[in-house]
Amino acid sequence: MNQIIKSKYLALLAFAPMLATAEEGGSGHYMPGSMSSFVDGVPTEETFIARYNFLLWDAEVEANRTLPIAGLLTAGADITSYANGLTLLWRPSWGSINDRWSYAMSATIPYVDLDVSANVITPLGTVRRSDSISGIGDIVLMPVMLNQNISPDFNINYRLGVYAPTGKYEVGRLANTGKNYWTIEPTVGFMYFGQKNGREASVFFGGDFNFENSETDYQTGTQLHIDGTLAQHLPLWGGLIGIGVNGYWYEQVGSDSGAGATFGDFKARTTGIGPVLSFVSKIADVDIIAELKWLHEFNTKDRPEGDFIWFKLVSKF
């Protein structure tokens, strides 16, 4: 970071109120609901999957809570993000390790439209600012995706995600499509899908280990999260319709660190729950899966609170 800008940023932190928000930018790379149901499972057989992902995140921060964003100290932030992503997953023929284990890999490329407005705090006072941006976000690579087939109804997934800082980032700009740091995210998922009764119970346990943002000298602490889905799937129009509930729990368990993290031991947490609707069918020998879900946040501490709306459309070749 330019030393003059860095000095101004660190000076601003001295004016921050004691009630401060951790987690630089208001969120880490993890997005609630990204992995939470059978739609997100690792395939057991050779296949190629193309998945379209749409995510709307609409959230706000209380006026008396501060939030560090790209070298700026802000309060009362309003955030609206529209993200469209393409996930390509390959389960190769040589991915059959044995009768129980299989291997796959994937990559997700997001395109983000982001609007952020906030009260920017300076030594001379507070001014309301707004920024908007569109562009490629941080690409998600999953070089290791393993499935352990326990039974026809029960599978366990093990995967390692890597978030690369490919999005746009500029110090002093409220809206950025990227985080400007790497994140490693191991995840384990347990999925029960009854072949006869149509019942689903899926749960994914994950952790995010973040590297330092070199532009702000800010390293967001380690985050843990659990996502899950309970649903009943029933025959409809030659396919299966699923109706249920999905939810998540998220907590930052590691303190923020680095020269830019001077707020102390503040750790973010939030919880969300909402309905989920899915449909599975086949069109011209291509398996199609669609999923729509809403997650409403509550019990939020030290981060923005709002709503997530997901739509996923999977084509399995």
Side-chain angles (χ1 to χ4, degrees), residues 38 193 198 231-244 276-281 290:
F38 79 101
F193 196 117
Q232 178 65 58
H233 298 262
L234 302 166
L236 180 69
W237 301 327
L240 283 177
I241 186 172
I243 303 173
V276 57
L277 181 68
S278 66
F279 186 69
V280 180
S281 188

Side-chain angles (χ1 to χ4, degrees), residues 282-302:
K282 185 182 287 289
I283 300 177
D285 295 326
V286 176
D287 292 327
I288 302 295
I289 306 173
E291 183 182 69
L292 177 65
K293 59 185 175 183
W294 167 47
L295 286 162
H296 176 69
E297 293 187 291
F298 60 94
N299 192 33
T300 301
K301 175 181 177 290
D302 292 341

Side-chain angles (χ1 to χ4, degrees), residues 169-238:
Y169 186 88
E170 181 181 310
V171 173
R173 186 172 61 195
L174 291 174
N176 289 292
T177 63
K179 299 293 185 185
N180 199 47
Y181 60 81
W182 294 80
T183 297
I184 306 298
E185 183 183 67
T187 304
V188 179
F190 301 85
M191 289 166 294
Y192 170 83
F193 196 117
Q195 302 300 301
K196 295 182 178 179
N197 58 30
R199 294 171 188 158
E200 178 191 357
S202 300
V203 61
F204 290 76
F205 300 88
D208 284 27
F209 301 88
N210 306 296
F211 289 74
E212 184 176 88
N213 182 339
S214 60
E215 292 296 311
T216 58
D217 294 339
Y218 197 113
Q219 184 171 356
T220 298
T222 299
Q223 305 139 329
L224 300 181
H225 42 86
I226 303 174
D227 292 76
T229 298
L230 293 173
Q232 178 65 58
H233 298 262
L234 302 166
L236 180 69
W237 301 327

Side-chain angles (χ1 to χ4, degrees), residues 70-94:
L72 298 173
L73 185 62
T74 72
D78 292 306
I79 303 170
T80 302
S81 173
Y82 298 88
N84 295 273
L86 174 64
T87 299
L88 301 176
L89 185 153
W90 181 39
R91 198 293 203 178
S93 58
W94 47 265

Side-chain angles (χ1 to χ4, degrees), residues 6 17 24 30 35 67 72 112 114 138 157 166 177 179 188 220 232 254 258 269 297-298 309:
K6 183 181 292 186
E24 185 184 19
Y30 159 73
M35 288 183 286
L67 179 71
L72 298 173
V112 181
L114 180 63
D138 288 346
N157 286 180
T166 54
T177 63
K179 299 293 185 185
V188 179
T220 298
Q232 178 65 58
R269 71 163 183 264
E297 293 187 291
F298 60 94
I309 296 177

